[in-house]
Amino acid sequence: MAPLITLQGIAKSFTAARIPALEDISFDVAPGEFVSLVGPSGCGKTTLLRLINGLITPDQGEILVGGKPPAPSSRLAMVFQSARLLPWRTVAGNIEFVLALKGMPRAAAAERARAILGAVGLRDYAGAWPHELSGGMQQRVGLARALAVEPEVLLMDEPFAALDAMTRETLRLGLMQMWSDRKMAVVFVTHDIDEAILLSQRVVLLRPRPGRIDSIVTVDLPEPRWQNDPRGLPAFGTLRRELWDRIHDMAREGAALEELAGVFGGSGTKGA
């Protein structure tokens, strides 16, 4: 099966601050595959999402989505850490707004909004205003808004990080069920190793400063996971230890490099 998303030799720097964000990033995402990006802060996870979405362009390398250079379109949708709802529109109105931008007639957009709110358990809140909702409910509206356009690719930037543990668990289960039903490709950024393993078919572990791929781990656990929680399985614990061991190794390597840089008067080790 041909990949839906291809990244080959991607490098990106932010020239104003002269900060290299990504270096030699290469991986594919198959149609309907759930891939999580994990790594320390500053390793370029969010930058990768923006590159896939066509919001920024790489300095080097090639990105293809469906065989074409990426550009913001209805085939890609993005969910952020905060819901970013329009406060002057109702819950249903927020969803109808994005559908209207795609050219959907008003009556059809209203029907689609009601249906997708039902899928995330918020049908009864269609007429509510965003400020009347809890943080978890707002995030469900943000997810519903992204799913309403029926994207081929769903990009998610730590969407559950700011929520309490019970709400995170509820939204994870809902996301797993919706992904199982719709089978869109998902690229999911998280700092939570357990969350990455629970949700994903593969986990891409990134190294920091600049972001590089350390390893890509296949998650071979029973499906559907929203019905059969795999967290008690030995295989889950093995994957968890494998990823944490690599993260601890990276932390030790980083500390050693900083110490060496200090020995050389802060000149760094690039030429070492």
Side-chain angles (χ1 to χ4, degrees):
M1 180 184 298
L4 178 59
I5 303 170
T6 298
L7 296 94
Q8 185 63 46
I10 297 301
K12 180 66 179 178
S13 295
F14 295 105
T15 54
R18 298 182 180 178
I19 298 174
L22 297 168
E23 180 180 278
D24 195 25
I25 299 289
S26 299
F27 66 92
D28 296 331
V29 180
E33 185 179 20
F34 200 122
V35 173
S36 283
L37 307 179
V38 174
S41 295
C43 69
K45 299 184 294 294
T46 297
T47 299
L48 272 173
L49 291 191
R50 296 175 66 201
L51 286 163
I52 295 170
N53 204 22
L55 298 174
I56 57 176
T57 57
D59 300 331
Q60 297 177 24
E62 181 180 51
I63 303 175
L64 298 175
V65 179
K68 299 178 181 178
S73 70
S74 60
R75 71 187 306 172
L76 296 106
M78 192 156 179
V79 178
F80 300 90
Q81 187 170 348
S82 60
R84 301 190 181 186
L85 302 179
L86 301 176
W88 58 88
R89 285 184 172 267
T90 63
V91 165
N94 268 271
I95 298 171
E96 292 167 13
F97 176 75
V98 298
L99 294 172
L101 292 177
K102 306 301 179 186
M104 183 175 288
R106 180 177 297 180
E111 184 177 353
R112 174 76 63 81
R114 285 194 300 272
I116 199 67
L117 285 171
V120 298
L122 290 176
R123 188 188 302 273
D124 293 342
Y125 292 86
W129 300 99
H131 73 269
E132 297 176 314
L133 306 181
S134 68
M137 294 168 74
Q138 290 181 21
Q139 201 65 352
R140 274 192 274 172
V141 178
L143 178 58
R145 183 176 57 188
L147 294 174
V149 299
E150 298 184 347
E152 292 180 71
V153 178
L154 182 61
L155 307 175
M156 307 188 76
D157 190 6
E158 297 191 74
F160 309 143
L163 305 175
D164 64 85
M166 291 182 65
T167 303
R168 281 201 306 271
E169 184 70 9
T170 299
L171 290 183
R172 286 171 184 162
L173 290 172
L175 175 60
M176 284 190 284
Q177 184 171 1
M178 285 184 280
W179 173 78
S180 181
D181 291 341
R182 290 167 172 79
K183 287 298 184 186
M184 64 282 191
V186 179
V187 183
F188 187 95
V189 165
T190 180
H191 282 95
D192 188 325
I193 297 298
D194 286 29
E195 181 173 71
I197 298 171
L198 177 66
L199 294 174
S200 311
Q201 293 177 299
R202 285 190 299 152
V203 176
V204 178
L205 180 60
L206 296 171
R207 301 175 67 86
R209 298 186 301 272
R212 293 152 289 152
I213 292 179
D214 178 87
S215 54
I216 300 178
V217 177
T218 298
V219 181
D220 186 14
L221 294 171
E223 301 281 0
R225 295 179 206 164
W226 60 274
Q227 288 183 327
N228 305 298
D229 191 331
R231 283 172 284 190
L233 297 176
F236 189 97
T238 299
L239 286 169
R240 189 177 189 277
R241 283 193 300 274
E242 179 181 344
L243 287 167
W244 272 117
D245 284 348
R246 286 303 309 143
I247 289 171
H248 291 153
D249 287 345
M250 283 191 278
R252 285 192 290 269
E253 291 166 12
L257 286 172
E258 288 181 7
E259 183 178 351
L260 187 58
V263 169
F264 284 91
S267 61
T269 60
K270 199 166 185 177

